[in-house]
Amino acid sequence: MPVTDIGRREFLAAGVTGLSVTAAYGAEAFGVTEQFDDGRITAVVPWAQGGGTDRSMRITTPVWADRLGVEFVVENYPGGSTQVGGEELYNADPDGTTVAMWNMPQMQATWLFQNAPYRMASFDYLGTHHWDPTMWFAPLDRPYDDLSEFVEYAREDGATVGITSAIGNTALSALLVEETYDLDLTVVNMEGGAGVRQAVLAGDVDAGVNQPWAFNPDHVGDVLALGSHTAEPQELWPDTPSFADIGLEDVPLVDEGLGQWKLMVVPGGLQENQPDRFERLAETYAAVFEDEQFLSEAENQGGLDDILDYRGPDETETEVEETSQFMETYADVVESFIYDR
C-alpha cells in the first residue's frame, strides 16, 4: 500500500490561495490550457517519507502544479531498493497521469541485479533534478575523525555500516572501501536516507553512507562527517574532507566522483504515443528550475539550490544509458554483496 500525501493535497487545495485559482492562473500565464482527463497526476516516490527523494519531490510538485494546471498527489512506495516504486511506475498507463522521481544508479541496478521486469526502454525521461555526492557519516562519540581513521579502526575492531539500499551508490561506496582496504564490514541496508540518518544520530551504526543533502545539512554538528567519495570537497557540508584529501585515492571512482542523480521519469510509450502530453510535462518541468518560488524553497531546504542540475530529456536519457554501463562495470562487487553475504 502506498503512503498517500493527504496533507500535501489539502495544501494544494487550500493553502496556496486555492488550487483551482492558482493552477488555473499558472496554466493561463504559461500558455497551458489543456486539462488532463482526471485532473490529477500521481507522483511516485520509491522511498519512504522524509528522505532526500521524498523531500525533493514535495518541493517540486507545488510549483510544477502551478505551471501545469494539474494537481499532484505524492505517493510513497518504499522497498526493494526502489524496485517497488519502479514497478508501480512500470505498471502505470503511459497517459501522462503518473510520474516518478527516481535515482541513479539505484534505478539501473534494479534491472541489472534484481531481475526487475522493466529495462531502460520501459520508461521515458523528462529531465534530471540534482546530483548529490556520496558521503560517509558517523556518530559523534566514535574514536575517529575521518574515513582514513575509520579504516584503521575497522581493520582492528570491525565495524557496522548503514547504507541507503542494497544496490546503488551508497552500497558501492561501502563495498569499494571494504575491498580496497581488506576490511570485514557488517553492511546493513537501511532502505532509505532517512533510515541511515536516524541510525547514525542514534549511534546504532559505526558509520552511515548517504549523500550530504539527503542526510540533511540541518544536522551539521550533530554527526561526524568522515569524507566524501570525491576528489574535491563537496559544498553542502562544511569542513568535510574528500577521499583524496585524506589519502584514499586507491578507492575506485574518487577522481570521477561517486554520487546519486535524481531524475523525473514517466511510463514508456508516452513520448511516442502522446508527444504533445510528453512535451507539456517536459516543458513545464524544465520551467520549475527557473521559478523564484522553487529556487527560494530549495535554498531553504539545506542549500538544495547549490546542487540543482537540470538536464533535458535527451541528455537525461544519455545519462541513464551511461550510468547503466557504469554499473555493469561493478557487477561482480554488487552481485557478491547481494547473493553471497
Side-chain angles (χ1 to χ4, degrees):
M1 291 290 291
V3 181
T4 304
D5 181 22
I6 300 299
R8 174 65 71 189
R9 293 183 66 182
E10 293 170 350
F11 172 78
L12 287 171
V16 194
T17 323
L19 174 66
S20 59
V21 175
T22 305
Y25 172 76
E28 183 178 353
F30 298 107
V32 177
T33 55
E34 177 194 1
Q35 290 295 317
F36 282 80
D37 294 338
D38 63 0
R40 56 172 272 178
I41 292 175
T42 298
V44 173
V45 174
W47 302 97
Q49 293 186 19
T53 309
D54 180 67
R55 286 154 46 218
S56 298
M57 180 69 94
R58 291 175 191 275
I59 71 167
T60 300
T61 49
V63 174
W64 198 2
D66 288 349
R67 296 267 175 169
L68 193 57
V70 180
E71 179 186 11
F72 282 80
V73 178
V74 179
E75 295 184 352
N76 297 77
Y77 290 87
S81 295
T82 75
Q83 186 169 328
V84 173
E87 292 194 23
E88 183 68 20
L89 181 68
Y90 172 66
N91 291 319
D93 292 332
D95 57 7
T97 61
T98 305
V99 303
M101 182 173 283
W102 214 341
N103 317 77
M104 296 190 289
Q106 278 88 349
M107 177 177 68
Q108 289 88 344
T110 61
W111 68 67
L112 288 172
F113 308 125
Q114 294 188 166
N115 198 30
Y118 48 77
R119 295 294 183 269
M120 175 180 168
S122 303
F123 306 104
D124 294 331
Y125 304 93
L126 295 177
T128 58
H129 193 276
H130 68 268
W131 187 84
D132 205 3
T134 305
M135 187 166 150
W136 287 61
F137 304 84
L140 284 174
D141 62 355
R142 294 308 192 263
Y144 34 82
D145 293 324
D146 60 38
L147 196 65
S148 179
E149 294 181 7
F150 169 83
V151 167
E152 295 306 316
Y153 171 87
R155 183 174 284 123
E156 293 294 326
D157 300 316
T160 299
V161 177
I163 57 175
T164 62
S165 69
I167 52 178
N169 58 296
T170 62
L172 187 56
S173 182
L175 296 174
L176 291 176
V177 168
E178 179 182 53
E179 182 178 71
T180 300
Y181 298 108
D182 194 25
L183 305 178
D184 185 16
L185 301 177
T186 300
V187 181
V188 182
N189 177 16
M190 301 292 181
E191 280 291 356
V196 170
R197 180 173 63 245
Q198 291 163 6
V200 173
L201 289 169
D204 295 334
V205 293
D206 296 303
V209 193
N210 200 340
Q211 296 85 230
W213 187 78
F215 195 96
N216 193 340
D218 286 347
H219 291 291
V220 170
D222 296 335
V223 297
L224 297 171
L226 299 181
S228 61
H229 200 138
T230 56
E232 300 294 332
Q234 48 72 51
E235 299 178 356
L236 288 181
W237 211 283
D239 303 320
T240 301
S242 69
F243 277 22
D245 289 337
I246 50 180
L248 302 183
E249 297 98 331
D250 290 340
V251 181
L253 301 175
V254 171
D255 289 340
E256 301 89 337
L258 178 60
Q260 182 192 87
W261 276 105
K262 290 180 174 59
L263 68 162
M264 203 66 70
V265 187
V266 295
L270 177 64
Q271 186 172 16
E272 179 179 356
N273 298 322
Q274 298 196 53
D276 290 345
R277 230 170 227 214
F278 178 84
E279 284 301 316
R280 180 181 167 196
L281 284 169
E283 290 174 0
T284 51
Y285 177 65
V288 168
F289 294 87
E290 299 178 357
D291 187 279
E292 292 184 4
Q293 175 187 339
F294 170 74
L295 294 174
S296 176
E297 182 62 22
E299 182 180 7
N300 293 335
Q301 290 282 336
L304 175 60
D305 58 312
D306 290 333
I307 59 172
L308 292 173
D309 190 352
Y310 168 76
R311 303 182 185 187
D314 291 342
E315 194 173 355
T316 299
E317 187 169 349
T318 298
E319 191 70 42
V320 172
E321 184 173 5
E322 291 177 351
T323 303
S324 295
Q325 296 169 356
F326 153 75
M327 286 301 289
E328 288 177 355
T329 303
Y330 292 96
D332 290 346
V333 175
V334 177
E335 289 177 342
S336 176
F337 174 64
I338 295 173
Y339 301 118
D340 299 337
R341 295 174 65 156

